[in-house]
Amino acid sequence: MFVALHIPDFPVVAALRNLPEGRGLPCAILAIRPPQEPQKGSGQNASATWPGHSARSLCESDTRNSQTTSQEKLPLLSLNRAARAAGIHPGWPLNRALVRCPDLRIIPRDPAAETALRDELVFLAESLTPDVEITAADAVVLDLSGRKTPVGTIPHVWQAWAQTPDLAHLAARHEATAGKIISPPDLAPLPLGVLGSLAQNHPSLALLELWGLKTLGDFMKLPRQALIERLGPEVGKWHDLLHGKTCRLLRLHRPPESFAQAFDFDDPVASIDPLVFALKRLLHTLAGRLASRHLAASCLDFRLMLESGGEMARRVRLPEPQTAVEGMLAPLQTLLESLKLDAAVASLQLDAETTFATAAQREWFGRHLPQPERWAETLAKLEALLGSGRIGIPVPPESFRPDSFTLHPVAVSAPATRPDCPVPLHRFRPPREIAVAYESRDRQPWPLALLNGSHPGEIIDRRGPFPASGTWWDPADAWQRLEWDIQLASQHLLRLVFQTPNRWQLEGIYQ
């Protein structure tokens, strides 16, 4: 069982903590930054007697400065209870809210107060269970599976219980379901805008509203596969979430533990030997702290502060988690030898990103490196030669888009990929633009011969066309193409691609 805790109207509640004289008045915070208060003696209206703005004076000031911001572009972000009691709702433009409530006060956001209030909410959640996730700035989700006593009512905090964390989070954000144990059918009456807490400013939300959907129940009645085909896989995940089909693990909040260290040189150094000596001293301290916590270093960050005032920072990813000084020192020393500094080094800083140490059972199956420090040193040399962020394992995404991949950090346990085609394709990067003689068949181009390029000639056999497309729901990133495997009179086997409106490319040759 999961429980979500949510502080409604979080920005205005945090701001009013430092404005006790405004708690009984209708107050609101704008979704954009309000104009600056007038200077003394400027002759403008400054009727607010406490740190805030009168909504009437703000609108009058806005009218005088209509060339920058109009009244219709001043939506309300958050309201207190007095403002809601007057019939105002978040999202209303300021001029409409002012007609309903002439005494409305506009107060500025207080980021420091919001941070303090969020820390208090996290502290309250951690007093109930250590398994806490900060789901949003104004909400946390708790895993109560290890708690035997129930959680009582908390004043000024909305609570909701559910079998999945996302259902609890959605239920806690609406007054109709707060304080209840929720199942998927209980969310049906909630407005569709509640989904905005999962994906803010997602274009599919506006499209669903244009379809006439008003509540979550309307969305839950739609067929999942049709939603994915029209709006993409993200909307399908929302559909599964609302039906309680997914129960993810919590992203547990843990106070960050810093392993940062610094070494200040008495005199700036210009050679590498003093740097290596100081670095080894810091690594010995780091190794001891890691061993006491049963952790290992997965990344090392070091920064050189130069005598000229500049600095140079590098990050080293270790292929296997390391606790030994030798395994961490080798790649750092390699990078130090490749650096060309403009000035002497005044100080050295070192930090580490930690993970759990490698399990000993991995050695039974032979998947480990015999000398991981040598592999880390090799990677460091390659990164020094090619540049930071250019070393990794290319992993194809869940798409048929050609040449699309993401670069993952080097890991020993990364699965090896094998080509699906038994005949290797030598790809041309970039693809070669060519001219093709073709005719139209069934409203599709049909290649007959290659007119130029490296392999001109008549096409005597072909397989295709093989249409491919993707991300059609995003016009800015949509793509579509037709592919052929062709054989020329010269017996060459090639891959030919057509892209609209009239673009032919030679993508590769089979070898």
Side-chain angles (χ1 to χ4, degrees):
M1 182 67 70
F2 297 89
V3 61
L5 307 181
H6 167 62
I7 300 178
D9 304 317
F10 181 80
V12 72
V13 169
L16 287 175
R17 300 183 77 188
N18 297 327
L19 300 173
E21 59 272 26
R23 294 174 186 173
L25 300 175
C27 299
I29 290 179
L30 295 177
I32 62 174
R33 186 175 182 180
Q36 299 291 331
E37 294 187 11
Q39 300 289 335
K40 289 185 179 181
S42 62
Q44 297 182 0
N45 184 9
S47 59
T49 58
W50 50 286
H53 299 271
S54 166
R56 175 70 66 180
S57 63
L58 184 58
C59 278
E60 292 173 355
S61 174
D62 179 69
T63 303
R64 290 190 295 268
N65 300 279
S66 58
Q67 69 275 12
T68 58
T69 306
S70 63
Q71 296 179 13
E72 290 75 7
K73 295 182 180 180
L74 292 174
L76 301 181
L77 173 67
S78 181
L79 312 170
N80 65 347
R81 292 185 179 180
R84 289 180 180 272
I88 306 174
H89 299 282
W92 280 24
L94 179 58
N95 57 345
R96 180 184 176 188
L98 187 60
V99 172
R100 180 64 64 89
C101 182
D103 297 330
L104 181 65
R105 293 276 178 165
I106 301 300
I107 60 177
R109 295 190 69 169
D110 191 342
E114 292 181 15
T115 301
L117 183 58
R118 181 174 60 252
D119 292 342
E120 292 181 16
L121 180 63
V122 174
F123 179 78
L124 172 64
E126 290 179 337
S127 66
L128 302 175
T129 176
D131 300 329
V132 178
E133 174 191 88
I134 304 178
T135 311
D138 56 357
V140 295
V141 175
L142 291 69
D143 184 0
L144 300 182
S145 58
R147 182 180 174 88
K148 299 181 179 179
T149 58
V151 178
T153 304
I154 304 175
H156 309 298
V157 177
W158 289 358
Q159 305 164 244
W161 291 260
Q163 293 296 328
T164 67
D166 293 311
L167 287 180
H169 173 66
L170 291 177
R173 302 189 72 86
H174 200 274
E175 190 174 6
T177 51
K180 300 179 181 179
I181 300 177
I182 296 300
S183 61
D186 298 324
L187 296 177
L190 300 187
L192 186 65
V194 175
L195 279 177
S197 61
L198 299 178
Q200 295 182 356
N201 300 325
H202 199 283
S204 297
L205 287 177
L207 187 57
L208 291 173
E209 294 178 355
L210 289 177
W211 288 1
L213 303 183
K214 300 298 182 183
T215 64
L216 295 182
D218 298 336
F219 175 75
M220 296 166 67
K221 293 178 183 177
L222 297 178
R224 177 183 181 274
Q225 187 60 33
L227 285 172
I228 294 177
E229 292 175 356
R230 289 165 173 79
L231 301 179
E234 185 69 21
V235 181
K237 294 179 182 179
W238 301 347
H239 197 271
D240 292 340
L241 183 151
L242 292 175
H243 284 85
K245 296 181 180 179
T246 59
C247 183
R248 61 177 177 83
L249 297 175
L250 293 183
R251 298 179 291 270
L252 297 180
H253 167 69
R254 293 290 183 263
E257 184 178 12
S258 176
F259 290 88
Q261 303 177 71
F263 188 93
D264 296 327
F265 296 98
D266 295 334
D267 297 318
V269 297
S271 60
I272 190 174
D273 292 337
L275 288 176
V276 174
F277 176 82
L279 192 59
K280 185 181 295 187
R281 179 176 175 179
L282 297 181
L283 288 176
H284 276 286
T285 304
L286 175 62
R289 295 172 63 183
L290 292 175
S292 64
R293 293 163 175 80
H294 304 284
L295 296 175
S298 59
C299 291
L300 297 175
D301 295 311
F302 75 97
R303 186 184 302 270
L304 302 178
M305 312 302 294
L306 304 181
E307 184 183 15
S308 60
E311 62 181 45
M312 180 172 292
R314 289 292 186 272
R315 161 165 283 208
V316 177
R317 288 190 178 273
L318 303 174
E320 281 193 350
Q322 292 289 326
T323 56
V325 175
E326 293 76 11
M328 295 184 286
L329 178 62
L332 291 178
Q333 185 174 356
T334 302
L335 283 180
L336 285 176
E337 293 174 352
S338 65
L339 294 179
K340 296 181 180 180
L341 303 179
D342 299 332
V345 179
S347 63
L348 170 66
Q349 298 178 4
L350 178 68
D351 199 358
E353 184 176 317
T354 61
T355 183
F356 294 106
T358 305
Q361 287 85 345
R362 290 184 60 187
E363 300 178 0
W364 299 352
F365 304 100
R367 294 298 302 271
H368 68 290
L369 288 171
Q371 293 180 314
E373 64 278 358
R374 296 286 301 275
W375 175 237
E377 185 177 357
T378 301
L379 293 179
K381 292 180 179 179
L382 291 174
E383 190 168 3
L385 179 65
L386 301 177
S388 178
R390 297 186 177 183
I391 302 298
I393 300 175
V395 178
E398 296 181 358
S399 172
F400 292 100
R401 188 169 193 168
D403 285 345
S404 60
F405 65 90
T406 57
L407 201 61
H408 286 202
V410 177
V412 180
S413 58
T417 58
R418 296 178 175 86
D420 297 331
C421 180
V423 181
L425 174 67
H426 178 202
R427 304 180 72 97
F428 301 142
R429 290 188 173 88
R432 300 175 181 177
E433 302 285 342
I434 59 171
V436 177
Y438 66 94
E439 63 182 9
S440 180
R441 297 185 184 180
D442 298 330
R443 298 183 179 181
Q444 290 183 344
W446 193 263
L448 301 176
L450 305 185
L451 302 180
N452 60 0
S454 57
H455 299 83
E458 180 186 1
I459 299 175
I460 61 174
D461 195 8
R462 63 187 62 77
R463 296 292 185 270
F466 304 107
S469 62
T471 58
W472 51 264
W473 53 86
D474 185 1
D477 198 37
W479 60 275
Q480 185 176 9
R481 53 192 267 142
L482 297 175
E483 297 180 358
W484 284 270
D485 290 334
I486 61 174
Q487 181 180 3
L488 302 179
S490 59
Q491 303 303 316
H492 288 99
L493 298 177
L494 304 122
R495 176 173 293 180
L496 185 65
V497 175
F498 173 79
Q499 296 183 4
T500 57
N502 190 16
R503 184 181 180 188
W504 293 89
Q505 292 179 332
L506 202 60
E507 191 171 78
I509 180 171
Y510 288 99
Q511 295 180 343

